Each structure stands twice: as C-alpha cells, then as structure tokens.
Amino acid sequence: MSRPLLIARRAAAGLLDAIQALSLVFVIIVAGIVITALTSSNFYVLEILVLAVIYMQFTSSWDVLCGYANQDNFGIAFFTGISGYIAAILNKSLAMSPWLTVPISATAAAAAGLVIGWLALRLRGPYFALLTIVFAAVLSKLAYIFSHVTGGEEGISGIASFSRSVETDLLVCVALLFISVLCMTAFARSHYGLILRSTQHNEDAALASGINAAHYKVAGFGVSAFFAGVGGAMFAHTHMQVSPELMAGSLSVLVVLMAVAGGRGTILGPVLAAGALTLFNEWLRIIEIYRPIIFTGTLIVMIYIFPSGIANASFFARAPLLRRLLFGREA
Amino acid sequence: MTLLVASNLSRHFGGVKAVNDISFEIPAGTVFGIIGPNGAGKTSLFNLLTGFLPPTSGSVRFRNREILGEKPYHLVDAGIARSFQLVKPFFGMTALETLMVPIWSRKLRLKFLTREMREASARAQLDRIGLADKANTLVDDLNQGDLRLLDIARAVSTEPEMLFLDEPFSGLGQEHVTRLSSIITDLKQSGVTVAIIEHRLRELMQLVEHVMVMNFGSKLAEGKPADVVRNPAVIEAYLGSKGMQFGSAGG
C-alpha cells in the first residue's frame, strides 16, 4: 500500500472512530445552537452564542497540544491573532471571501505553529511557557509598530462577515467548531495523542522505543495552531473587526484558565467549560461592576476544588456512563 | 560472527574521562556482561552505544555499519534497543498503552496495520512478562518490579537484534528476578544478543558468557566470567572479598 493511501485510510478510520467516540452532550449542545440559530431572532442571544462557540474553538485548540503533551502554551493568542489579522487583511485589501481567508489564515497560523514548535522542542515547564508568552507579546507589539497595515490600537474594521445574517454566521461557526472538534478528537485518539502523552514524563523512553518525539511535538503544535487560527478567523468574520485584543496576553491566560478548569487532555472538558463560562460571564453583566471579580473568582474556586479540571475529577472515574455522555468514549 | 565492534570509544565531560578509549567486540547471539564499580562509566558507555550521548571520539560498527552518533530512534530501526537504569514510566498511561508506543516506530508501524493487530501485539508482550492481567492498570499503580519488566518489554517490543539492559536486576524481588532471568534466556534462545550492566553478580554470572570489567572509564579486564573474577586486578578494583568468594565458587 502506498504511503499517501495509507495515511488517508488512517485519517478516515480516525475520523470514524472520533464520530463513534463523540460526546452525546456535545452533540446536543451543537444541535441546540443550530435550533436557536434557525428559530431565534434575538440578536443578543445569537451574538453571545457566537462568542461562546469562538471560545470553545480557542480552548479546544489549546488542549489538543497542551492537554496531551502537558505543556502550557500561554501564547495561544499568537495564533488567534495572526490568523485573525491575516484574514482581515486578505479580506479588506484583496476582497477575498471568508471561504478562502479562513483556510488560508489558519494554514498560516499552523505554519507559524510549526516554527514555534520547533523552537520550543527542548523547553519544558516554565521555560516553554515563557517562550510562548514572548512570541505572543512580540506579535502584539508588531501590531502597533506596523500600524499602517494593522490599524494599530484601532485594529481593522469593516471586515466582511460570513453572511448577511447573524443566524447564518452562527450556523457557519458552529459547523466549523463541530468539524474542528471531530478532527482534534481524531488526532488526540490517534497515535499522535498517545505519543504526546508518552513525552510528558519520559521522552527518553519514547526515543528508545524508536519514536522521533520531535516530529510529534512539532506536528501537535501545528494542529493546535491551525484550529486556533480557525477560531481567530471566525472572530474576524463574525465581529467584522480585529484589534490587538485578539493577540493579547489576557486572552491567552483566559483560554488556559478555561481549559484547565474544564480538564486538560480531554478536548470536550475544555469545550464544555469554555461554553458554560462564556455564557456565565455574559449573564454576570446584570451586575457589571462585580463581574470580573465573580468570574475570575469562580475560575479560581473551580481550579481549587478540581485541580486537574472537572473532566478529570475523580467522581467521573466512578461514573463511567456520565463521563461517556459528557466527554465521549475514552478507549 | 561479531555483531557490534567498538573501537577507541571515548567520551569526556570536561576533564572527566567518563569513557576512555574503550575497544571491545560483542559476538552475535551471546549475553555480554559489563561490570564495574559505581561511576566506572558503564551507563555512559550504554548512552554512547544507543545514541543518547554524543561521543568525543571513536567508532562503533553494528553489523558492519558505522552507527556512532546516530539518533536513538534511528538505532531502533537498525535493531538496537535499550532499557533504563532509572525507570521513569509513562505516567497517566496504562501498561497496554505503554507497549503501544514502540509499535509506532518507523520499524514496526507498517507491520501492524490494524488496531486489532497492534493491540494483540502489545498484549503478547505483556503476557511474556507476566503482566497480562494488568493490561488496563495505570502505570502509576504498578510496583517497581513490574515497572522494570514493563520497561524491558517496551525495549523488547521494538524487536531488536541487540538489546542493552542497564542494571535490570537492581531493586527487584526474588520473584521478578526469576521472571527476568527466564526472559533473558528466552531472548538469547530466539537469537537476540543481550548486553547487561549489572551490580547483582550472582544473577549476572549465571547468564553471561563474556564479561567486560570497567573502571575509571577504561577497560580493566575481559573474558569468561570464571576467569574474570579470578583476575587480581579486578578483585582489587571492584570485587574485593566477595570476588574471592565468587572465584572459589566458580572454581
């Protein structure tokens, strides 16, 4: 069997396996969002759902590398930012349709991810985190320096949305999220996930097993950056503007917090946590002045009670059926 | 036939000559022992031979091909595997998952094409070390003896021609020692060449045909176990009174 054919067959088998392993709760949530998009015309609700979907995309793309390799990327905004800006620039100056800018900008983010992944190969723990922080910080400074292209602090506005209606935009976003989660689940359940997990504690034993660990880590970075890039482009084409906030450190930290609270290394844990927390944060707007305090306080309490995240909490180990419903099949 | 030839192999750390101009040959199909006091350079030598440490100078030919300085995962493709002295398991993974890792090496990934084949292969390896009933146990919950056997099974899973075992018996209880000894004997019978670093001379001397003694990074003596333990230089450097005891027991 030829190599491309073999890879295609493995990818197809992986996707099929991911579909079978999919969490029922996630399917219900996606279906619920689709129904809301088709029936509701409440602009406010639809906008919040778009935001929730984008955050689900961000956190799951963080988890597909960091949850499995147990490395903390504190610079996911590098990828969301670079992709959002590329999508914005392509759309504004070349009048490219969102159907082209999303794949192009996500691929560009993936290419950047491969480079940073290669540079970060030898780093672990805080050093790895620092490298990712520095890259994101440099990028957001570049947005100010090259303000004639990026619009500086103002950012770029007037970007085309996916469609003319918020309802359809939401449908596009939730479809992209669904496909992304499926692909990332397939990746995490494949030997890539297995080998990324093996490098957590003992890369030498992986090398001695004939595994080129560097290949897997760099590939993981590329995949994570690609789907973060899809999220960044989603943001650009739904909010119709990008600003340096899309590459800010605060966004990176928020993504890490939501993913860790949800339970790293599960994809669905971070997805569900990001969705719930985004809605919670919006609901808190009724007490706007206390909102940041209550929101971050809730995150801290969650991480205090479940240090390894809700999806990895010990009560799920005793309730396999519930775990299966919420986070999908494990093996 | 000679499987592996090391010539004038050296590795210096600053002024310390961890491995100092060592030359030796490992014949195919034998069990080759490497002994020596702590800090003699045994593990450094293994790290050089398995690609974990870049050499200062020298040459290592495996099946007549120069392999010194190649990456560990390329050496696995060539047929060289190793276990580790300090077993650091893949925490958070099960015993079965641990043995799925080597199946994804370049050498084996085309051999086991379906999930069923891969799992069956990993289960067969678990069965071989007597851990079949612990397939779905997290390695975090295995005891030290099981972990060492699992690490050796991980190395054996790569289907090596030449297997390097770094102190495989240290810290093992009698039951695990017996199991491991029979695994090594089986490997030898199936044609695998094994090199063992060991402190537990009682187990080692029963298994090996050929012993090399190292001290201060250099080769001190080499030969049949019974001869080596009678060598006065060896007794003085390493074996001491115990060596005398072994010498007389061997004679």
Side-chain angles (χ1 to χ4, degrees):
Chain A
M1 209 184 309
S2 68
R3 202 175 139 77
L5 191 67
L6 186 70
I7 291 171
R9 256 184 54 153
R10 284 228 168 105
L15 275 177
L16 193 69
D17 169 69
I19 291 169
Q20 289 166 347
L22 206 60
S23 139
L24 188 64
V25 170
F26 178 64
V27 175
I28 292 170
I29 288 172
V30 168
I33 294 175
V34 170
I35 291 167
T36 313
L38 293 175
T39 56
S40 171
S41 51
N42 184 334
F43 190 76
Y44 174 69
V45 168
L46 295 169
E47 282 291 337
I48 288 170
L49 286 177
V50 166
L51 194 66
V53 167
I54 289 172
Y55 272 112
M56 290 192 231
Q57 178 82 19
F58 287 173
T59 43
S60 53
S61 70
W62 182 89
D63 193 49
V64 74
L65 170 71
C66 305
Y68 290 84
N70 201 22
Q71 294 267 57
D72 297 317
N73 177 357
F74 275 94
I76 196 79
F78 181 95
F79 305 116
T80 60
I82 206 166
S83 171
Y85 271 82
I86 289 176
I89 293 166
L90 288 178
N91 177 257
K92 286 273 285 185
S93 48
L94 298 175
M96 237 183 229
S97 117
W99 301 108
L100 281 174
T101 62
V102 173
I104 292 174
S105 56
T107 307
L114 295 179
V115 173
I116 296 180
W118 182 74
L119 291 170
L121 269 179
R122 291 173 180 278
L123 303 178
R124 286 214 71 89
Y127 306 100
F128 178 93
L130 278 172
L131 182 93
T132 57
I133 291 172
V134 166
F135 267 100
V138 168
L139 188 75
S140 81
K141 271 280 170 277
L142 287 177
Y144 290 102
I145 294 169
F146 294 99
S147 56
H148 58 286
V149 188
T150 60
E153 199 166 350
E154 298 278 294
I156 302 170
S157 52
I159 306 162
S161 55
F162 283 114
S163 69
R164 279 158 192 243
S165 70
V166 188
E167 291 88 340
T168 322
D169 276 10
L170 177 59
L171 285 176
V172 171
C173 287
V174 82
L176 285 173
L177 172 73
F178 188 75
I179 296 167
S180 301
V181 166
L182 261 189
C183 293
M184 286 189 276
T185 304
F187 180 84
R189 290 172 62 83
S190 76
H191 61 290
Y192 278 86
L194 179 80
I195 287 163
L196 285 178
R197 282 162 64 208
S198 82
T199 62
Q200 281 186 17
H201 297 281
N202 193 354
E203 197 167 320
D204 280 353
L207 295 174
S209 306
I211 302 297
N212 180 356
H215 164 83
Y216 291 86
K217 294 205 283 191
V218 172
F221 235 111
V223 169
S224 173
F226 180 87
F227 289 108
V230 171
M234 254 152 87
F235 184 94
H237 289 297
T238 51
H239 288 68
M240 293 178 275
Q241 55 96 17
V242 288
S243 70
E245 274 173 44
L246 194 57
M247 42 178 86
S250 53
L251 173 64
S252 292
V253 172
L254 181 61
V255 168
V256 176
L257 280 174
M258 292 198 296
V260 171
R264 58 197 307 163
T266 58
I267 306 276
L268 259 298
V271 165
L272 300 184
L277 286 167
T278 311
L279 297 184
F280 176 62
N281 194 20
E282 288 304 318
W283 178 75
L284 284 178
R285 285 196 191 280
I286 51 175
I287 34 170
E288 179 64 28
I289 39 170
Y290 301 111
R291 185 174 63 92
I293 302 167
I294 298 176
F295 182 68
T296 36
T298 309
L299 276 172
I300 292 167
V301 169
M302 275 173 78
I303 292 173
Y304 183 79
I305 300 175
F306 307 111
S308 50
I310 290 180
N312 297 320
S314 52
F315 60 80
F316 282 120
R318 294 190 296 270
L321 190 68
L322 188 63
R323 202 193 143 85
R324 167 84 176 84
L325 285 178
L326 276 167
F327 309 115
R329 202 176 65 200
E330 202 160 353
Chain B
M1 194 195 92
T2 312
L3 188 64
L4 185 137
V5 183
S7 338
N8 308 105
L9 192 55
S10 292
R11 169 68 207 205
H12 303 166
F13 294 102
V16 181
K17 294 175 175 174
V19 176
N20 187 16
D21 200 30
I22 275 195
S23 303
F24 60 93
E25 294 184 356
I26 302 181
T30 55
V31 180
F32 188 90
I34 299 171
I35 61 174
N38 279 327
K42 305 182 298 292
T43 296
S44 292
L45 176 66
F46 261 32
N47 286 343
L48 286 172
L49 296 173
T50 53
F52 280 91
L53 191 62
T56 305
S57 62
S59 147
V60 176
R61 298 185 74 80
F62 179 70
R63 307 179 70 198
N64 257 328
R65 189 169 72 82
E66 180 64 45
I67 56 153
L68 193 59
E70 282 192 22
K71 299 266 187 246
Y73 45 88
H74 289 144
L75 294 177
V76 170
D77 296 340
I80 292 177
R82 70 167 297 173
S83 72
F84 291 89
Q85 182 183 358
L86 290 169
V87 178
K88 288 182 287 174
F90 297 142
F91 286 114
M93 289 169 55
T94 64
L96 188 69
E97 283 177 323
T98 299
L99 296 186
M100 298 289 273
V101 171
I103 293 176
W104 291 102
S105 64
R106 196 164 62 178
K107 185 180 179 186
L108 298 180
R109 72 171 71 145
L110 293 177
K111 190 173 162 186
F112 303 105
L113 283 174
T114 66
R115 192 191 172 94
E116 288 71 33
M117 285 165 82
R118 292 191 285 271
E119 267 201 39
S121 159
R123 276 185 201 283
Q125 294 291 348
L126 272 181
D127 202 28
R128 187 175 191 161
I129 55 168
L131 290 183
D133 55 330
K134 292 182 180 160
N136 295 319
T137 308
L138 283 180
V139 293
D140 311 48
D141 300 330
L142 292 178
N143 65 41
Q144 202 56 38
D146 287 346
L147 285 179
R148 187 169 313 265
L149 288 183
L150 189 63
D151 188 47
I152 291 167
R154 179 198 54 68
V156 172
S157 298
T158 66
E159 303 184 359
E161 269 182 81
M162 171 90 235
L163 177 63
F164 291 95
L165 301 176
D166 196 348
E167 299 205 16
F169 291 104
S170 75
L172 292 194
Q174 196 50 49
E175 188 223 329
H176 283 102
V177 167
T178 318
R179 250 197 272 173
L180 182 54
S181 298
S182 79
I183 291 167
I184 294 172
T185 313
D186 287 351
L187 282 171
K188 190 194 161 207
Q189 270 162 11
S190 59
V192 180
T193 308
V194 186
I196 307 179
I197 292 178
E198 195 44 75
H199 274 300
R200 305 234 332 212
L201 296 177
R202 188 186 301 277
E203 280 76 27
L204 187 75
M205 292 308 183
Q206 286 163 5
L207 286 168
V208 301
E209 288 119 314
H210 202 86
V211 177
M212 177 169 87
V213 188
M214 284 180 76
N215 200 14
F216 299 117
S218 306
K219 183 160 84 175
L220 193 64
E222 200 183 346
K224 287 193 179 3
D227 299 335
V228 164
V229 293
R230 286 203 203 89
N231 185 324
V234 174
I235 296 169
E236 190 190 323
Y238 174 53
L239 297 171
S241 58
K242 251 189 175 165
M244 300 295 270
Q245 199 185 314
F246 263 104
S248 53

